[in-house]
Amino acid sequence: MNTYLIKNKEDFAHVFRNGSFLNCSSFTINYAKKSKAVNINLPRFGIVASKKVGNAVQRNFAKRRIKALKNIFLNCGKNELDYILVAKKNLLNENFKILSSQLEQTLNKIKKS
């Protein structure tokens, strides 16, 4: 079971309501402290790909690319935070190595703040 994924509407709403965000060229990361009900000692992340990204095939492709970056989330993310990664259209055409380095740099910025 993927305990590191955020799937509940309440968890998404908590991050969007109480959190902060950082923009990149390919995605936006929203982050917030976990709610008190969550007892998982891993950083959790959720994925959002709106219709602005493209049709269903392109949105699913964007989500698969983000899921492939889960090891960076688990290694560089803070354990007490929930992250939501909102895909942008540029994510579809970006090189995967550039995506992973962007994500790692962004997570390190969040760690420092």
Side-chain angles (χ1 to χ4, degrees):
M1 190 170 151
N2 298 334
T3 57
Y4 55 84
L5 286 177
I6 298 174
K7 294 185 179 180
N8 295 335
K9 182 179 179 179
E10 296 84 23
D11 292 338
F12 276 97
H14 172 76
V15 173
F16 284 125
R17 220 180 305 115
N18 301 325
S20 302
F21 67 93
L22 279 175
N23 282 318
C24 291
S25 62
S26 302
F27 50 82
T28 300
I29 294 184
N30 293 318
Y31 60 95
K33 286 192 175 184
K34 292 181 184 175
S35 62
K36 303 220 188 275
V38 178
N39 293 327
I40 299 169
N41 197 18
L42 289 173
R44 298 187 316 156
F45 69 95
I47 302 167
V48 175
S50 70
K51 287 190 175 182
K52 291 180 184 178
V53 174
N55 62 14
V57 174
Q58 292 170 331
R59 289 193 305 270
N60 288 333
F61 179 67
K63 290 178 189 178
R64 282 196 309 272
R65 291 191 94 185
I66 294 170
K67 284 180 187 175
L69 298 169
K70 75 170 180 158
N71 288 332
I72 295 173
F73 271 108
L74 297 177
N75 293 333
C76 296
K78 280 185 164 181
N79 289 341
E80 62 270 5
L81 293 179
D82 282 341
Y83 301 94
I84 295 180
L85 203 138
V86 181
K88 293 182 180 177
K89 194 169 186 112
N90 190 25
L91 181 91
L92 300 172
N93 300 322
E94 195 69 59
N95 187 353
F96 192 75
K97 288 184 180 182
I98 294 173
L99 280 178
S100 61
S101 67
Q102 273 184 355
L103 179 62
E104 192 170 349
Q105 290 171 357
T106 308
L107 290 175
N108 287 331
K109 281 183 191 177
I110 293 171
K111 259 188 182 179
K112 290 179 184 177
S113 62

